[in-house]
Amino acid sequence: MDELFRYVDEGFQASVERLSQFLRIPSVGTDPEYDPETRRCAEWLASELTGIGFDASVRDTPGQPIVVGHWPNPDATGPHLLYYGHYDVQPADPLELWESPPFEPRVMEGPKGPQIVARGAVDDKGQVMTWLEAFRAYKAVRGNLPFSITVLVEGEEESSSVNLEPFLKANAEELRSDVCIISDTGMLDVDRPAITTMLRGIVYVEVTLTGPTHDLHSGMYGGAVVNPLNALSSLLAALHDENGRVTLDGFYDSVLELTPAQSEEWKSLGFDDATFLGTAGLSQSVGESGRTVLERIWSRPTLDVNGIWGGYIGKGAKTVIPSQASAKLSCRLVPDQRADAVLRSLKTYFEKNCPPGCRIELKDLGKGDPIRVPAESPFIEATRRATTHAFPRPAALIGSGGSIPVAASIREILGIDSVLLGFGLDDDRVHSPNEKFTLVCLERGIKTHLALLDELAKK
Ligand code: BES
Ligand code: MN
Ligand code: MN
């Protein structure tokens, strides 16, 4: 270990420089205007992998390209690992809130030491670099990677990985491995690593209610005709009851309660509600009654309106009854809910309750099932041991409110579990202006991945 860690320490500036190069490429996967940059990012990554010694290629899809790399090691006895990550980033807007340009990474002092600020710093470029730099170091020091490794990095995670599922199906044989390692989640603190064993799924829809053929004078017609905005507001309001529960048919049918062991583990984490709420400028939690904050974000399903529009939203007053009203809705799902079933239930709800004179349209904007990783797996055990080499405190098993849509498909299509070994912090401003990755998280992430290679090579 010592020699590997020394290699990391001595080359750390160069690692940060490579991460900066990665961050300088504005791979905003959801915006077609950035398509050439997004492709350039995939090519940059493939050439980094090739430089380390991988057999890497950029693979076309109907959307953003996928990078695949192979490190065959047929003589090794260890497991075959699949590393998944994403090189696409969220749009940088609102630009005016960035203290430095989003695609000009800067290292500056932060609350936990130096941090690199740029869009994608923690989600997911910095975290992809934790294992990429570990491979580089391992190869340099030991001459070879300890077993066969396959790398899969996509450019559409932030748009629900729509083209990855068919890619997994079409290339299942090529991607065959024993376990998937994903670094795209968070920790409890810089000193306190975490392995996520429960990850929420998601259903995202856009609903549009159309009433009159055009906007009407709200005095001439108001009171006698359907107002799509009024109607949509009522429909949305009725989706929660007074206890904060979602009223969709069958929504909670397959929701699993926490096991007593998990409940105990979460209680022992010392999670501070006030600090967490404080990162959002709040002091009170709102949600399903009778549930703790951790349960609300990690193990309970939700429904949220992400945006709502229609009618007149310009300056001053304009008296209209809008022809249309729309909203974007997302549900976060937990084991064993299924995204398809929740989508059907949403459709049924809006169709059944569509007011007379209105027409409803519901667009599927992406989905992914929730996952649960068995904590008893030897891979989780090895990962826990690996973290002890790089962190002063032991790893916690946590849940995570965010979603990685492909995680469930990896289980379903490739038949393997994932180890969610993430290095983000709660204050990293994921998806927000001034996103950052603390450099000590990068360093400890690289070292943990190195230790994991060694732990798994032992057997
Ligand atoms: N890396 C995040 C998911 C995440 C965030 C996990 C924080 C744990 C903690 C991922 O890139 C993400 O943002 N996913 C989206 C998926 C959506 C666009 C389908 C999400 O969760 O909103
Ligand atoms: Mn991510
Ligand atoms: Mn993200």
Side-chain angles (χ1 to χ4, degrees):
M1 241 36 251
D2 286 359
E3 208 185 339
L4 289 168
F5 282 11
R6 205 172 326 116
Y7 186 92
V8 174
D9 291 336
E10 280 165 9
F12 195 66
Q13 274 321 307
S15 297
V16 173
E17 185 39 48
R18 279 188 290 272
L19 172 57
S20 300
Q21 280 180 29
F22 197 6
L23 290 168
R24 256 179 235 124
I25 311 174
S27 47
V28 184
T30 46
D31 185 345
E33 250 178 50
Y34 288 88
D35 279 357
E37 301 287 2
T38 304
R39 172 166 294 274
R40 187 159 70 84
C41 193
E43 279 159 5
W44 180 87
L45 200 56
S47 88
E48 284 302 294
L49 282 163
T50 307
I52 297 171
F54 277 81
D55 174 12
S57 55
V58 174
R59 315 276 281 266
D60 285 332
T61 76
Q64 306 298 356
I66 294 171
V67 180
V68 177
H70 291 291
W71 189 287
N73 193 341
D75 303 329
T77 51
H80 185 152
L81 301 193
L82 175 67
Y83 286 79
Y84 163 84
H86 64 95
Y87 67 81
D88 59 321
V89 300
Q90 286 271 321
D93 328 43
L95 279 178
E96 65 279 11
L97 295 184
W98 284 81
E99 277 154 29
S100 54
F103 299 107
E104 291 173 27
R106 263 187 222 172
V107 175
M108 43 185 110
E109 207 46 38
K112 303 283 159 77
Q115 57 188 27
I116 188 161
V117 180
R119 170 56 85 231
V122 62
D123 186 15
D124 181 30
K125 290 175 173 176
Q127 299 210 59
V128 164
M129 290 309 270
T130 60
W131 44 260
L132 202 64
E133 292 299 290
F135 297 156
R136 192 189 304 280
Y138 203 98
K139 162 71 187 348
V141 174
R142 303 266 165 90
N144 194 359
L145 297 185
F147 32 68
S148 295
I149 287 178
T150 300
V151 164
L152 175 70
V153 191
E154 68 158 319
E156 293 186 307
E157 195 276 344
E158 302 291 7
S159 22
S160 295
S161 307
V162 280
N163 293 295
L164 188 54
E165 193 167 306
F167 187 86
L168 293 182
K169 283 189 178 138
N171 299 282
E173 189 48 36
E174 180 185 344
L175 300 171
R176 196 155 47 91
S177 15
D178 298 305
V179 70
C180 181
I181 312 286
I182 304 179
S183 289
D184 193 24
T185 49
M187 307 190 286
L188 293 172
D189 182 33
V190 268
D191 290 337
R192 189 88 211 270
I195 301 166
T196 296
T197 55
M198 239 173 117
L199 188 70
R200 291 200 290 191
I202 188 167
V203 168
Y204 203 118
V205 298
E206 183 174 313
V207 51
T208 298
L209 208 54
T210 308
T213 51
H214 51 277
D215 289 2
L216 305 172
H217 190 290
S218 68
M220 275 176 74
Y221 291 88
V225 300
V226 67
N227 178 330
L229 262 175
N230 290 10
L232 183 61
S233 310
S234 310
L235 286 178
L236 295 176
L239 280 167
H240 287 95
D241 68 14
E242 65 282 8
N243 296 314
R245 282 169 66 93
V246 176
T247 56
L248 282 177
D249 247 6
F251 193 67
Y252 293 94
D253 283 0
S254 41
V255 172
L256 302 178
E257 287 296 331
L258 286 180
T259 62
Q262 226 164 2
S263 222
E264 279 315 301
E265 168 125 18
W266 288 8
K267 272 188 206 128
S268 74
L269 294 178
F271 183 85
D272 184 44
D273 294 358
T275 308
F276 172 72
L277 294 168
T279 62
L282 298 170
S283 55
Q284 280 222 315
S285 170
V286 167
E288 213 185 328
S289 54
R291 300 287 175 178
T292 66
V293 172
L294 270 195
E295 286 178 287
R296 284 172 176 173
I297 54 175
W298 287 356
S299 68
R300 300 299 297 171
T302 63
L303 182 147
D304 277 294
V305 179
N306 295 250
I308 179 164
W309 68 99
Y312 182 68
I313 53 167
K315 285 204 178 82
K318 177 171 188 269
T319 50
V320 287
I321 288 178
S323 159
Q324 287 198 318
S326 303
K328 288 182 191 282
L329 298 188
S330 65
C331 289
R332 296 285 171 171
L333 312 180
V334 302
D336 277 334
Q337 285 180 299
R338 299 300 301 250
D340 281 329
V342 172
L343 179 62
R344 268 198 306 277
S345 182
L346 274 166
K347 257 202 173 102
T348 308
Y349 172 79
F350 284 108
E351 278 163 7
K352 221 170 79 189
N353 299 296
C354 180
C358 275
R359 154 164 77 73
I360 196 105
E361 193 199 346
L362 192 120
K363 262 194 261 167
D364 169 4
L365 296 187
K367 51 187 180 319
D369 283 325
I371 64 159
R372 165 125 82 171
V373 185
E376 311 68 51
S377 105
F379 294 111
I380 298 282
E381 282 307 317
T383 307
R384 281 188 124 152
R385 286 196 300 276
T387 60
T388 63
H389 295 275
F391 288 88
R393 300 184 62 194
L397 299 184
I398 64 168
S400 176
S403 309
I404 304 174
V406 78
S409 312
I410 286 174
R411 171 70 254 177
E412 207 119 291
I413 299 167
L414 302 182
I416 56 175
D417 277 319
S418 291
V419 173
L420 301 165
L421 171 64
F423 301 104
L425 297 174
D426 272 345
D427 70 351
D428 281 343
R429 295 184 288 273
V430 182
H431 293 196
S432 304
N434 306 307
E435 177 181 349
K436 58 94 173 162
F437 192 35
T438 296
L439 292 186
V440 70
C441 296
L442 174 66
E443 179 207 317
R444 289 174 171 176
I446 298 170
K447 289 178 176 173
T448 303
H449 278 298
L450 279 169
L452 181 59
L453 292 176
D454 252 12
E455 282 290 341
L456 291 172
K458 272 185 200 160
K459 301 186 263 179

